[in-house]
Amino acid sequence: MHTLDPELFQKLRPVLDILETGGIYLEIHNDMHRFAARLAGYGRHVYPGFRPAYEPDNPGTYGALFNHEDKLICCMAWRSFETEDLVHDIEQFLPFYCDHTTDDPTWHTELAGILALKGLIGYRGGLNSLQQGNRIAWFMTLIAMICLDHAGVDYQAGEARDDMLTSGRFRSMSGYSNANPLGSIFIKKHGHDEALNLVWSSADQVRKEIAGRLMILADCSPKNFKTAVAALKAL
């Protein structure tokens, strides 16, 4: 694992110990070219915001889970940045990620002037799970939450489609406490408008979510990946 921070490693240890009983290992790195290449190699979409070409000065960090055969199981990316108005920033970078040009109409969210989130933001995205049914995305988002909380962010945020909201996965899988509609934006690669939502949590909400998830892992008996997955499926 590419981290020189022993304090972060200790915070991640309860999660890593459970994963390792299932032969699953974590890689954390800031080589986003590697992140993009891994996903492309598996035929998966790379969230544009974490492609180095879009954010060369702040490409982010990725976490990836592998099995004992070094096959990718799940991954996610995140970055931190300071802002006075997250919603305004989203109005600037989301059209860019969707390949809009200066010839396209200016895009405004439905949250402009309504929701004010500022400070150090931890932005998450690019969650890909290549195995279904083992709740591995739950572990991956927990790892991302712990890493960003350790970095001292004031909020953790990301984008979610409407189906993530109606299914409840933005809470149960991604661990966000709040959701607000951003409105629809035309995604050129898809050829149609898509409704997106801003999902987010304050630092206090994140810490409460982390504590609850770690409690689930601590209560597993025996403490291994199999019993942890069974406990998650029972929730």
Side-chain angles (χ1 to χ4, degrees), residues 21-51:
T21 66
I24 301 170
Y25 306 97
L26 173 66
E27 175 180 284
I28 292 180
H29 210 285
N30 56 11
D31 184 349
M32 301 307 291
H33 290 285
R34 180 190 299 183
F35 172 74
R38 284 190 187 279
L39 280 178
Y42 283 90
R44 291 299 182 106
H45 174 66
V46 181
Y47 174 70
F50 293 104
R51 295 176 184 171

Side-chain angles (χ1 to χ4, degrees), residues 20-197:
E20 288 174 5
T21 66
I24 301 170
Y25 306 97
L26 173 66
E27 175 180 284
I28 292 180
H29 210 285
N30 56 11
D31 184 349
M32 301 307 291
H33 290 285
R34 180 190 299 183
F35 172 74
R38 284 190 187 279
L39 280 178
Y42 283 90
R44 291 299 182 106
H45 174 66
V46 181
Y47 174 70
F50 293 104
R51 295 176 184 171
Y54 286 87
E55 297 280 356
D57 297 326
N58 186 12
T61 298
Y62 74 82
L65 295 171
F66 298 88
N67 65 15
H68 63 282
E69 296 176 337
D70 200 34
K71 291 183 179 179
L72 180 65
I73 298 173
C74 190
C75 60
M76 190 174 198
W78 55 88
R79 74 161 59 85
S80 301
F81 56 90
E82 289 273 1
T83 182
E84 288 298 315
D85 186 345
L86 175 60
V87 173
H88 174 73
D89 287 352
I90 291 172
E91 288 184 336
Q92 301 302 307
F93 66 64
L94 194 55
F96 182 52
Y97 294 164
C98 295
D99 296 322
H100 291 201
T101 68
T102 54
D103 294 328
D104 293 304
T106 301
W107 180 73
H108 294 290
T109 79
E110 296 178 5
L111 295 177
I114 297 174
L115 181 66
L117 300 179
K118 66 179 182 178
L120 183 60
I121 307 294
Y123 215 77
R124 296 195 255 143
L127 178 64
N128 273 269
S129 176
L130 284 79
Q131 286 190 2
Q132 302 298 318
N134 61 4
R135 303 299 191 270
I136 196 65
W138 185 93
F139 290 92
M140 187 71 258
T141 54
L142 174 56
I143 289 167
M145 278 189 277
I146 292 172
C147 289
L148 285 170
D149 183 63
H150 178 70
V153 300
D154 298 301
Y155 295 93
Q156 296 194 26
E159 301 143 27
R161 300 187 307 272
D162 281 349
D163 64 312
M164 287 283 288
L165 268 63
T166 55
S167 69
R169 297 196 308 276
F170 85 101
R171 292 186 186 275
S172 61
M173 181 183 71
S174 296
Y176 291 111
S177 300
N178 313 285
N180 300 95
L182 286 166
S184 295
I185 186 169
F186 185 75
I187 301 178
K188 291 190 176 182
K189 182 176 180 179
H190 299 166
H192 58 75
D193 286 334
E194 190 160 327
L196 295 176
N197 302 273

Side-chain angles (χ1 to χ4, degrees), residues 18 138-139 209-221 223 227-232 235:
I18 291 286
W138 185 93
F139 290 92
E209 178 70 19
I210 291 172
R213 293 191 180 203
L214 292 179
M215 184 67 70
I216 291 171
L217 299 183
D219 287 344
C220 290
S221 182
K223 288 182 175 58
T227 56
V229 171
L232 292 174
L235 292 176

